[in-house]
PDB file of all heavy atoms in Angstrom:
ATOM      1  N   LEU D 299       0.824  -1.170  -0.005  1.00 98.00           N
ATOM      2  CA  LEU D 299      -0.013  -0.005  -0.033  1.00 98.00           C
ATOM      3  C   LEU D 299       0.890   1.238  -0.001  1.00 98.00           C
ATOM      4  O   LEU D 299       0.617   2.173  -0.743  1.00 98.00           O
ATOM      5  CB  LEU D 299      -0.949  -0.002   1.240  1.00 98.00           C
ATOM      6  CG  LEU D 299      -1.730   1.227   1.456  1.00 98.00           C
ATOM      7  CD1 LEU D 299      -2.707   1.498   0.276  1.00 98.00           C
ATOM      8  CD2 LEU D 299      -2.603   1.135   2.716  1.00 98.00           C
ATOM      9  N   ALA D 300       1.953   1.261   0.857  1.00 98.00           N
ATOM     10  CA  ALA D 300       2.796   2.426   0.877  1.00 98.00           C
ATOM     11  C   ALA D 300       3.441   2.707  -0.453  1.00 98.00           C
ATOM     12  O   ALA D 300       3.570   3.871  -0.869  1.00 98.00           O
ATOM     13  CB  ALA D 300       3.860   2.155   2.005  1.00 98.00           C
ATOM     14  N   ILE D 301       3.859   1.669  -1.102  1.00 98.00           N
ATOM     15  CA  ILE D 301       4.513   1.795  -2.456  1.00 98.00           C
ATOM     16  C   ILE D 301       3.533   2.431  -3.454  1.00 98.00           C
ATOM     17  O   ILE D 301       3.922   3.292  -4.212  1.00 98.00           O
ATOM     18  CB  ILE D 301       5.025   0.433  -2.990  1.00 98.00           C
ATOM     19  CG1 ILE D 301       6.288   0.025  -2.079  1.00 98.00           C
ATOM     20  CG2 ILE D 301       5.518   0.535  -4.420  1.00 98.00           C
ATOM     21  CD1 ILE D 301       6.746  -1.365  -2.349  1.00 98.00           C
ATOM     22  N   THR D 302       2.282   1.885  -3.474  1.00 98.00           N
ATOM     23  CA  THR D 302       1.340   2.510  -4.414  1.00 98.00           C
ATOM     24  C   THR D 302       1.087   4.002  -4.107  1.00 98.00           C
ATOM     25  O   THR D 302       0.984   4.808  -5.058  1.00 98.00           O
ATOM     26  CB  THR D 302      -0.027   1.738  -4.328  1.00 98.00           C
ATOM     27  OG1 THR D 302      -0.596   1.902  -3.033  1.00 98.00           O
ATOM     28  CG2 THR D 302       0.162   0.284  -4.733  1.00 98.00           C
ATOM     29  N   GLU D 303       1.065   4.339  -2.841  1.00 98.00           N
ATOM     30  CA  GLU D 303       0.905   5.721  -2.534  1.00 98.00           C
ATOM     31  C   GLU D 303       2.116   6.575  -2.873  1.00 98.00           C
ATOM     32  O   GLU D 303       1.990   7.698  -3.425  1.00 98.00           O
ATOM     33  CB  GLU D 303       0.641   5.860  -0.981  1.00 98.00           C
ATOM     34  CG  GLU D 303      -0.700   5.207  -0.518  1.00 98.00           C
ATOM     35  CD  GLU D 303      -1.890   6.053  -0.884  1.00 98.00           C
ATOM     36  OE1 GLU D 303      -1.724   7.120  -1.400  1.00 98.00           O
ATOM     37  OE2 GLU D 303      -3.019   5.571  -0.668  1.00 98.00           O
ATOM     38  N   GLN D 304       3.298   6.070  -2.630  1.00 98.00           N
ATOM     39  CA  GLN D 304       4.534   6.768  -2.986  1.00 98.00           C
ATOM     40  C   GLN D 304       4.674   7.022  -4.464  1.00 98.00           C
ATOM     41  O   GLN D 304       4.969   8.168  -4.940  1.00 98.00           O
ATOM     42  CB  GLN D 304       5.790   5.969  -2.511  1.00 98.00           C
ATOM     43  CG  GLN D 304       5.884   5.907  -0.980  1.00 98.00           C
ATOM     44  CD  GLN D 304       6.907   4.781  -0.532  1.00 98.00           C
ATOM     45  OE1 GLN D 304       7.525   4.180  -1.383  1.00 98.00           O
ATOM     46  NE2 GLN D 304       6.908   4.515   0.724  1.00 98.00           N
ATOM     47  N   GLU D 305       4.384   6.023  -5.285  1.00 98.00           N
ATOM     48  CA  GLU D 305       4.501   6.139  -6.701  1.00 98.00           C
ATOM     49  C   GLU D 305       3.413   7.045  -7.291  1.00 98.00           C
ATOM     50  O   GLU D 305       3.637   7.765  -8.253  1.00 98.00           O
ATOM     51  CB  GLU D 305       4.480   4.766  -7.399  1.00 98.00           C
ATOM     52  CG  GLU D 305       5.702   3.943  -7.014  1.00 98.00           C
ATOM     53  CD  GLU D 305       7.027   4.609  -7.412  1.00 98.00           C
ATOM     54  OE1 GLU D 305       7.088   5.268  -8.474  1.00 98.00           O
ATOM     55  OE2 GLU D 305       7.966   4.504  -6.596  1.00 98.00           O
ATOM     56  N   SER D 306       2.248   7.019  -6.682  1.00 98.00           N
ATOM     57  CA  SER D 306       1.140   7.890  -7.194  1.00 98.00           C
ATOM     58  C   SER D 306       1.505   9.358  -6.964  1.00 98.00           C
ATOM     59  O   SER D 306       1.207  10.224  -7.828  1.00 98.00           O
ATOM     60  CB  SER D 306      -0.184   7.557  -6.504  1.00 98.00           C
ATOM     61  OG  SER D 306      -0.166   7.993  -5.185  1.00 98.00           O
ATOM     62  N   ARG D 307       2.154   9.672  -5.804  1.00 98.00           N
ATOM     63  CA  ARG D 307       2.614  10.994  -5.546  1.00 98.00           C
ATOM     64  C   ARG D 307       3.697  11.398  -6.569  1.00 98.00           C
ATOM     65  O   ARG D 307       3.762  12.549  -7.068  1.00 98.00           O
ATOM     66  CB  ARG D 307       3.077  11.213  -4.110  1.00 98.00           C
ATOM     67  CG  ARG D 307       1.895  11.122  -3.146  1.00 98.00           C
ATOM     68  CD  ARG D 307       2.364  11.569  -1.749  1.00 98.00           C
ATOM     69  NE  ARG D 307       3.374  10.622  -1.157  1.00 98.00           N
ATOM     70  CZ  ARG D 307       3.091   9.629  -0.433  1.00 98.00           C
ATOM     71  NH1 ARG D 307       1.801   9.383  -0.121  1.00 98.00           N
ATOM     72  NH2 ARG D 307       4.033   8.856   0.094  1.00 98.00           N
ATOM     73  N   ALA D 308       4.629  10.500  -6.813  1.00 98.00           N
ATOM     74  CA  ALA D 308       5.746  10.790  -7.682  1.00 98.00           C
ATOM     75  C   ALA D 308       5.284  11.012  -9.107  1.00 98.00           C
ATOM     76  O   ALA D 308       5.823  11.936  -9.804  1.00 98.00           O
ATOM     77  CB  ALA D 308       6.757   9.618  -7.739  1.00 98.00           C
ATOM     78  N   TYR D 309       4.238  10.394  -9.541  1.00 98.00           N
ATOM     79  CA  TYR D 309       3.699  10.493 -10.883  1.00 98.00           C
ATOM     80  C   TYR D 309       2.525  11.474 -10.948  1.00 98.00           C
ATOM     81  O   TYR D 309       2.040  11.732 -12.049  1.00 98.00           O
ATOM     82  CB  TYR D 309       3.275   9.174 -11.456  1.00 98.00           C
ATOM     83  CG  TYR D 309       4.405   8.319 -11.957  1.00 98.00           C
ATOM     84  CD1 TYR D 309       5.105   7.485 -11.077  1.00 98.00           C
ATOM     85  CD2 TYR D 309       4.803   8.388 -13.320  1.00 98.00           C
ATOM     86  CE1 TYR D 309       6.179   6.674 -11.548  1.00 98.00           C
ATOM     87  CE2 TYR D 309       5.870   7.607 -13.746  1.00 98.00           C
ATOM     88  CZ  TYR D 309       6.597   6.779 -12.911  1.00 98.00           C
ATOM     89  OH  TYR D 309       7.611   5.990 -13.351  1.00 98.00           O
ATOM     90  N   GLN D 310       2.108  11.940  -9.757  1.00 98.00           N
ATOM     91  CA  GLN D 310       0.980  12.878  -9.620  1.00 98.00           C
ATOM     92  C   GLN D 310      -0.268  12.287 -10.322  1.00 98.00           C
ATOM     93  O   GLN D 310      -0.969  12.948 -11.061  1.00 98.00           O
ATOM     94  CB  GLN D 310       1.358  14.246 -10.206  1.00 98.00           C
ATOM     95  CG  GLN D 310       2.461  14.939  -9.454  1.00 98.00           C
ATOM     96  CD  GLN D 310       2.766  16.304  -9.961  1.00 98.00           C
ATOM     97  OE1 GLN D 310       2.516  16.649 -11.115  1.00 98.00           O
ATOM     98  NE2 GLN D 310       3.343  17.154  -9.150  1.00 98.00           N
ATOM     99  N   LYS D 311      -0.472  11.041  -9.998  1.00 97.00           N
ATOM    100  CA  LYS D 311      -1.708  10.340 -10.479  1.00 97.00           C
ATOM    101  C   LYS D 311      -2.377   9.597  -9.393  1.00 97.00           C
ATOM    102  O   LYS D 311      -1.794   9.432  -8.316  1.00 97.00           O
ATOM    103  CB  LYS D 311      -1.318   9.368 -11.671  1.00 97.00           C
ATOM    104  CG  LYS D 311      -0.731  10.075 -12.907  1.00 97.00           C
ATOM    105  CD  LYS D 311      -0.400   9.081 -13.989  1.00 97.00           C
ATOM    106  CE  LYS D 311       0.131   9.783 -15.250  1.00 97.00           C
ATOM    107  NZ  LYS D 311       0.422   8.878 -16.292  1.00 97.00           N
ATOM    108  N   SER D 312      -3.607   9.106  -9.675  1.00 97.00           N
ATOM    109  CA  SER D 312      -4.338   8.402  -8.682  1.00 97.00           C
ATOM    110  C   SER D 312      -3.594   7.020  -8.389  1.00 97.00           C
ATOM    111  O   SER D 312      -3.096   6.419  -9.354  1.00 97.00           O
ATOM    112  CB  SER D 312      -5.745   8.121  -9.155  1.00 97.00           C
ATOM    113  OG  SER D 312      -6.459   9.322  -9.317  1.00 97.00           O
ATOM    114  N   PRO D 313      -3.607   6.604  -7.199  1.00 97.00           N
ATOM    115  CA  PRO D 313      -2.938   5.326  -6.882  1.00 97.00           C
ATOM    116  C   PRO D 313      -3.764   4.143  -7.418  1.00 97.00           C
ATOM    117  O   PRO D 313      -4.952   4.158  -7.490  1.00 97.00           O
ATOM    118  CB  PRO D 313      -2.893   5.297  -5.365  1.00 97.00           C
ATOM    119  CG  PRO D 313      -4.006   6.150  -4.892  1.00 97.00           C
ATOM    120  CD  PRO D 313      -4.110   7.244  -5.938  1.00 97.00           C
ATOM    121  N   PHE D 314      -3.029   3.113  -7.802  1.00 98.00           N
ATOM    122  CA  PHE D 314      -3.684   1.883  -8.233  1.00 98.00           C
ATOM    123  C   PHE D 314      -4.276   1.248  -7.022  1.00 98.00           C
ATOM    124  O   PHE D 314      -3.641   1.188  -5.928  1.00 98.00           O
ATOM    125  CB  PHE D 314      -2.653   0.940  -8.925  1.00 98.00           C
ATOM    126  CG  PHE D 314      -2.141   1.506 -10.229  1.00 98.00           C
ATOM    127  CD1 PHE D 314      -0.804   1.574 -10.442  1.00 98.00           C
ATOM    128  CD2 PHE D 314      -2.999   1.873 -11.213  1.00 98.00           C
ATOM    129  CE1 PHE D 314      -0.269   2.088 -11.642  1.00 98.00           C
ATOM    130  CE2 PHE D 314      -2.526   2.439 -12.406  1.00 98.00           C
ATOM    131  CZ  PHE D 314      -1.221   2.544 -12.656  1.00 98.00           C
ATOM    132  N   LEU D 315      -5.475   0.602  -7.184  1.00 97.00           N
ATOM    133  CA  LEU D 315      -6.141   0.032  -6.022  1.00 97.00           C
ATOM    134  C   LEU D 315      -5.595  -1.401  -5.766  1.00 97.00           C
ATOM    135  O   LEU D 315      -5.220  -2.157  -6.690  1.00 97.00           O
ATOM    136  CB  LEU D 315      -7.637  -0.072  -6.361  1.00 97.00           C
ATOM    137  CG  LEU D 315      -8.359   1.216  -6.612  1.00 97.00           C
ATOM    138  CD1 LEU D 315      -9.819   0.951  -6.830  1.00 97.00           C
ATOM    139  CD2 LEU D 315      -8.160   2.258  -5.450  1.00 97.00           C
ATOM    140  N   ILE D 316      -5.576  -1.754  -4.472  1.00 98.00           N
ATOM    141  CA  ILE D 316      -5.357  -3.073  -4.044  1.00 98.00           C
ATOM    142  C   ILE D 316      -6.583  -3.643  -3.313  1.00 98.00           C
ATOM    143  O   ILE D 316      -6.926  -3.073  -2.224  1.00 98.00           O
ATOM    144  CB  ILE D 316      -4.108  -3.154  -3.090  1.00 98.00           C
ATOM    145  CG1 ILE D 316      -2.853  -2.560  -3.753  1.00 98.00           C
ATOM    146  CG2 ILE D 316      -3.884  -4.619  -2.663  1.00 98.00           C
ATOM    147  CD1 ILE D 316      -1.673  -2.510  -2.786  1.00 98.00           C
ATOM    148  N   TYR D 317      -7.225  -4.577  -3.889  1.00 97.00           N
ATOM    149  CA  TYR D 317      -8.357  -5.228  -3.294  1.00 97.00           C
ATOM    150  C   TYR D 317      -7.887  -6.350  -2.419  1.00 97.00           C
ATOM    151  O   TYR D 317      -7.193  -7.306  -2.881  1.00 97.00           O
ATOM    152  CB  TYR D 317      -9.395  -5.773  -4.261  1.00 97.00           C
ATOM    153  CG  TYR D 317     -10.139  -4.692  -5.033  1.00 97.00           C
ATOM    154  CD1 TYR D 317      -9.541  -4.108  -6.213  1.00 97.00           C
ATOM    155  CD2 TYR D 317     -11.405  -4.324  -4.668  1.00 97.00           C
ATOM    156  CE1 TYR D 317     -10.243  -3.124  -6.899  1.00 97.00           C
ATOM    157  CE2 TYR D 317     -12.068  -3.328  -5.367  1.00 97.00           C
ATOM    158  CZ  TYR D 317     -11.517  -2.747  -6.532  1.00 97.00           C
ATOM    159  OH  TYR D 317     -12.204  -1.772  -7.215  1.00 97.00           O
ATOM    160  N   ASP D 318      -8.188  -6.328  -1.135  1.00 97.00           N
ATOM    161  CA  ASP D 318      -7.808  -7.392  -0.217  1.00 97.00           C
ATOM    162  C   ASP D 318      -8.965  -8.361   0.009  1.00 97.00           C
ATOM    163  O   ASP D 318      -9.875  -8.079   0.745  1.00 97.00           O
ATOM    164  CB  ASP D 318      -7.300  -6.808   1.137  1.00 97.00           C
ATOM    165  CG  ASP D 318      -6.701  -7.852   2.036  1.00 97.00           C
ATOM    166  OD1 ASP D 318      -6.549  -9.058   1.562  1.00 97.00           O
ATOM    167  OD2 ASP D 318      -6.337  -7.502   3.171  1.00 97.00           O
ATOM    168  N   PHE D 319      -8.809  -9.539  -0.602  1.00 97.00           N
ATOM    169  CA  PHE D 319      -9.830 -10.574  -0.413  1.00 97.00           C
ATOM    170  C   PHE D 319      -9.404 -11.602   0.624  1.00 97.00           C
ATOM    171  O   PHE D 319     -10.072 -12.595   0.828  1.00 97.00           O
ATOM    172  CB  PHE D 319     -10.112 -11.284  -1.740  1.00 97.00           C
ATOM    173  CG  PHE D 319     -10.800 -10.418  -2.712  1.00 97.00           C
ATOM    174  CD1 PHE D 319     -10.090  -9.821  -3.755  1.00 97.00           C
ATOM    175  CD2 PHE D 319     -12.161 -10.088  -2.694  1.00 97.00           C
ATOM    176  CE1 PHE D 319     -10.712  -9.007  -4.721  1.00 97.00           C
ATOM    177  CE2 PHE D 319     -12.824  -9.358  -3.607  1.00 97.00           C
ATOM    178  CZ  PHE D 319     -12.077  -8.731  -4.614  1.00 97.00           C
ATOM    179  N   SER D 320      -8.204 -11.351   1.255  1.00 97.00           N
ATOM    180  CA  SER D 320      -7.653 -12.385   2.156  1.00 97.00           C
ATOM    181  C   SER D 320      -8.127 -12.028   3.571  1.00 97.00           C
ATOM    182  O   SER D 320      -7.359 -11.842   4.507  1.00 97.00           O
ATOM    183  CB  SER D 320      -6.104 -12.352   2.153  1.00 97.00           C
ATOM    184  OG  SER D 320      -5.621 -11.105   2.519  1.00 97.00           O
ATOM    185  N   THR D 321      -9.435 -12.095   3.778  1.00 96.00           N
ATOM    186  CA  THR D 321     -10.006 -11.760   5.079  1.00 96.00           C
ATOM    187  C   THR D 321     -10.847 -12.963   5.531  1.00 96.00           C
ATOM    188  O   THR D 321     -10.972 -13.984   4.830  1.00 96.00           O
ATOM    189  CB  THR D 321     -10.938 -10.554   4.919  1.00 96.00           C
ATOM    190  OG1 THR D 321     -11.981 -10.816   3.920  1.00 96.00           O
ATOM    191  CG2 THR D 321     -10.174  -9.306   4.473  1.00 96.00           C
ATOM    192  N   TYR D 322     -11.398 -12.815   6.684  1.00 97.00           N
ATOM    193  CA  TYR D 322     -12.312 -13.862   7.262  1.00 97.00           C
ATOM    194  C   TYR D 322     -13.714 -13.439   6.933  1.00 97.00           C
ATOM    195  O   TYR D 322     -14.218 -12.414   7.342  1.00 97.00           O
ATOM    196  CB  TYR D 322     -12.122 -13.995   8.788  1.00 97.00           C
ATOM    197  CG  TYR D 322     -10.745 -14.549   9.118  1.00 97.00           C
ATOM    198  CD1 TYR D 322      -9.646 -13.751   9.190  1.00 97.00           C
ATOM    199  CD2 TYR D 322     -10.589 -15.944   9.386  1.00 97.00           C
ATOM    200  CE1 TYR D 322      -8.377 -14.258   9.523  1.00 97.00           C
ATOM    201  CE2 TYR D 322      -9.355 -16.486   9.717  1.00 97.00           C
ATOM    202  CZ  TYR D 322      -8.263 -15.619   9.774  1.00 97.00           C
ATOM    203  OH  TYR D 322      -7.020 -16.199  10.060  1.00 97.00           O
ATOM    204  N   ASN D 323     -14.375 -14.299   6.104  1.00 95.00           N
ATOM    205  CA  ASN D 323     -15.710 -13.968   5.661  1.00 95.00           C
ATOM    206  C   ASN D 323     -16.437 -15.299   5.414  1.00 95.00           C
ATOM    207  O   ASN D 323     -15.887 -16.382   5.618  1.00 95.00           O
ATOM    208  CB  ASN D 323     -15.632 -13.145   4.375  1.00 95.00           C
ATOM    209  CG  ASN D 323     -14.668 -13.717   3.362  1.00 95.00           C
ATOM    210  OD1 ASN D 323     -14.979 -14.811   2.807  1.00 95.00           O
ATOM    211  ND2 ASN D 323     -13.526 -13.090   3.130  1.00 95.00           N
ATOM    212  N   LYS D 324     -17.641 -15.209   4.944  1.00 94.00           N
ATOM    213  CA  LYS D 324     -18.447 -16.389   4.740  1.00 94.00           C
ATOM    214  C   LYS D 324     -17.883 -17.324   3.669  1.00 94.00           C
ATOM    215  O   LYS D 324     -18.172 -18.597   3.711  1.00 94.00           O
ATOM    216  CB  LYS D 324     -19.900 -16.039   4.336  1.00 94.00           C
ATOM    217  CG  LYS D 324     -20.045 -15.387   2.943  1.00 94.00           C
ATOM    218  CD  LYS D 324     -21.525 -15.170   2.650  1.00 94.00           C
ATOM    219  CE  LYS D 324     -21.723 -14.596   1.240  1.00 94.00           C
ATOM    220  NZ  LYS D 324     -23.128 -14.355   0.912  1.00 94.00           N
ATOM    221  N   TYR D 325     -16.995 -16.830   2.826  1.00 96.00           N
ATOM    222  CA  TYR D 325     -16.363 -17.696   1.791  1.00 96.00           C
ATOM    223  C   TYR D 325     -15.131 -18.401   2.376  1.00 96.00           C
ATOM    224  O   TYR D 325     -15.017 -19.596   2.315  1.00 96.00           O
ATOM    225  CB  TYR D 325     -15.957 -16.864   0.585  1.00 96.00           C
ATOM    226  CG  TYR D 325     -17.132 -16.080   0.001  1.00 96.00           C
ATOM    227  CD1 TYR D 325     -17.120 -14.705  -0.007  1.00 96.00           C
ATOM    228  CD2 TYR D 325     -18.209 -16.703  -0.635  1.00 96.00           C
ATOM    229  CE1 TYR D 325     -18.203 -13.986  -0.554  1.00 96.00           C
ATOM    230  CE2 TYR D 325     -19.264 -15.987  -1.190  1.00 96.00           C
ATOM    231  CZ  TYR D 325     -19.221 -14.592  -1.105  1.00 96.00           C
ATOM    232  OH  TYR D 325     -20.282 -13.905  -1.682  1.00 96.00           O
ATOM    233  N   SER D 326     -14.263 -17.642   2.948  1.00 97.00           N
ATOM    234  CA  SER D 326     -12.986 -18.154   3.420  1.00 97.00           C
ATOM    235  C   SER D 326     -13.086 -19.103   4.647  1.00 97.00           C
ATOM    236  O   SER D 326     -12.254 -19.876   4.949  1.00 97.00           O
ATOM    237  CB  SER D 326     -11.991 -17.055   3.730  1.00 97.00           C
ATOM    238  OG  SER D 326     -12.472 -16.304   4.887  1.00 97.00           O
ATOM    239  N   THR D 327     -14.243 -18.939   5.356  1.00 97.00           N
ATOM    240  CA  THR D 327     -14.456 -19.794   6.500  1.00 97.00           C
ATOM    241  C   THR D 327     -15.389 -20.970   6.242  1.00 97.00           C
ATOM    242  O   THR D 327     -15.927 -21.580   7.136  1.00 97.00           O
ATOM    243  CB  THR D 327     -15.045 -19.007   7.699  1.00 97.00           C
ATOM    244  OG1 THR D 327     -16.261 -18.395   7.298  1.00 97.00           O
ATOM    245  CG2 THR D 327     -14.055 -17.899   8.100  1.00 97.00           C
ATOM    246  N   GLU D 328     -15.578 -21.262   4.924  1.00 97.00           N
ATOM    247  CA  GLU D 328     -16.491 -22.384   4.557  1.00 97.00           C
ATOM    248  C   GLU D 328     -16.000 -23.649   5.273  1.00 97.00           C
ATOM    249  O   GLU D 328     -14.798 -23.949   5.299  1.00 97.00           O
ATOM    250  CB  GLU D 328     -16.459 -22.603   3.057  1.00 97.00           C
ATOM    251  CG  GLU D 328     -17.281 -23.751   2.582  1.00 97.00           C
ATOM    252  CD  GLU D 328     -17.217 -23.977   1.074  1.00 97.00           C
ATOM    253  OE1 GLU D 328     -16.349 -23.319   0.417  1.00 97.00           O
ATOM    254  OE2 GLU D 328     -18.067 -24.697   0.520  1.00 97.00           O
ATOM    255  N   ALA D 329     -16.922 -24.425   5.797  1.00 95.00           N
ATOM    256  CA  ALA D 329     -16.585 -25.635   6.501  1.00 95.00           C
ATOM    257  C   ALA D 329     -15.910 -26.624   5.528  1.00 95.00           C
ATOM    258  O   ALA D 329     -16.369 -26.796   4.436  1.00 95.00           O
ATOM    259  CB  ALA D 329     -17.831 -26.284   7.143  1.00 95.00           C
ATOM    260  N   VAL D 330     -14.835 -27.299   6.050  1.00 95.00           N
ATOM    261  CA  VAL D 330     -14.098 -28.288   5.282  1.00 95.00           C
ATOM    262  C   VAL D 330     -14.655 -29.624   5.665  1.00 95.00           C
ATOM    263  O   VAL D 330     -14.570 -30.043   6.796  1.00 95.00           O
ATOM    264  CB  VAL D 330     -12.631 -28.205   5.550  1.00 95.00           C
ATOM    265  CG1 VAL D 330     -11.881 -29.204   4.721  1.00 95.00           C
ATOM    266  CG2 VAL D 330     -12.075 -26.850   5.262  1.00 95.00           C
ATOM    267  N   PRO D 331     -15.220 -30.351   4.723  1.00 94.00           N
ATOM    268  CA  PRO D 331     -15.818 -31.661   5.034  1.00 94.00           C
ATOM    269  C   PRO D 331     -14.742 -32.685   5.412  1.00 94.00           C
ATOM    270  O   PRO D 331     -13.576 -32.643   4.943  1.00 94.00           O
ATOM    271  CB  PRO D 331     -16.520 -32.051   3.668  1.00 94.00           C
ATOM    272  CG  PRO D 331     -15.761 -31.294   2.640  1.00 94.00           C
ATOM    273  CD  PRO D 331     -15.383 -30.023   3.235  1.00 94.00           C
ATOM    274  N   ARG D 332     -15.096 -33.633   6.229  1.00 91.00           N
ATOM    275  CA  ARG D 332     -14.210 -34.670   6.696  1.00 91.00           C
ATOM    276  C   ARG D 332     -14.357 -35.945   5.890  1.00 91.00           C
ATOM    277  O   ARG D 332     -13.868 -37.001   6.294  1.00 91.00           O
ATOM    278  CB  ARG D 332     -14.436 -34.954   8.202  1.00 91.00           C
ATOM    279  CG  ARG D 332     -14.222 -33.739   9.059  1.00 91.00           C
ATOM    280  CD  ARG D 332     -12.771 -33.442   9.346  1.00 91.00           C
ATOM    281  NE  ARG D 332     -12.528 -32.017   9.528  1.00 91.00           N
ATOM    282  CZ  ARG D 332     -11.346 -31.501   9.806  1.00 91.00           C
ATOM    283  NH1 ARG D 332     -10.346 -32.355  10.048  1.00 91.00           N
ATOM    284  NH2 ARG D 332     -11.174 -30.217   9.979  1.00 91.00           N
ATOM    285  N   ASP D 333     -15.008 -35.892   4.765  1.00 88.00           N
ATOM    286  CA  ASP D 333     -15.245 -37.053   3.935  1.00 88.00           C
ATOM    287  C   ASP D 333     -15.166 -36.588   2.452  1.00 88.00           C
ATOM    288  O   ASP D 333     -15.164 -35.427   2.164  1.00 88.00           O
ATOM    289  CB  ASP D 333     -16.584 -37.697   4.227  1.00 88.00           C
ATOM    290  CG  ASP D 333     -17.731 -36.745   3.974  1.00 88.00           C
ATOM    291  OD1 ASP D 333     -18.118 -36.517   2.773  1.00 88.00           O
ATOM    292  OD2 ASP D 333     -18.321 -36.206   4.932  1.00 88.00           O
ATOM    293  N   THR D 334     -15.092 -37.581   1.577  1.00 84.00           N
ATOM    294  CA  THR D 334     -14.948 -37.269   0.113  1.00 84.00           C
ATOM    295  C   THR D 334     -16.266 -37.186  -0.554  1.00 84.00           C
ATOM    296  O   THR D 334     -16.325 -36.952  -1.815  1.00 84.00           O
ATOM    297  CB  THR D 334     -14.058 -38.312  -0.548  1.00 84.00           C
ATOM    298  OG1 THR D 334     -14.696 -39.560  -0.413  1.00 84.00           O
ATOM    299  CG2 THR D 334     -12.693 -38.315   0.038  1.00 84.00           C
TER     300      THR D 334
END
């Protein structure tokens, strides 16, 4: 995040977005079955 902000200031342009999907949510906490 810091690098995107630094470079956006250097180029005087909007920073590129970083979407963080590595969170705890209904998808990432899906129950893991104990059978096949």
Side-chain angles (χ1 to χ4, degrees):
L299 174 60
I301 290 170
T302 61
E303 295 284 354
Q304 291 163 10
E305 293 303 320
S306 72
R307 290 193 295 269
Y309 281 87
Q310 298 184 336
K311 294 183 179 180
S312 298
F314 295 125
L315 300 181
I316 302 176
Y317 290 85
D318 186 6
F319 293 100
S320 63
T321 60
Y322 291 83
N323 50 70
K324 67 177 184 179
Y325 305 113
S326 66
T327 59
E328 180 182 10
V330 180
R332 300 282 150 176
D333 58 77
T334 60

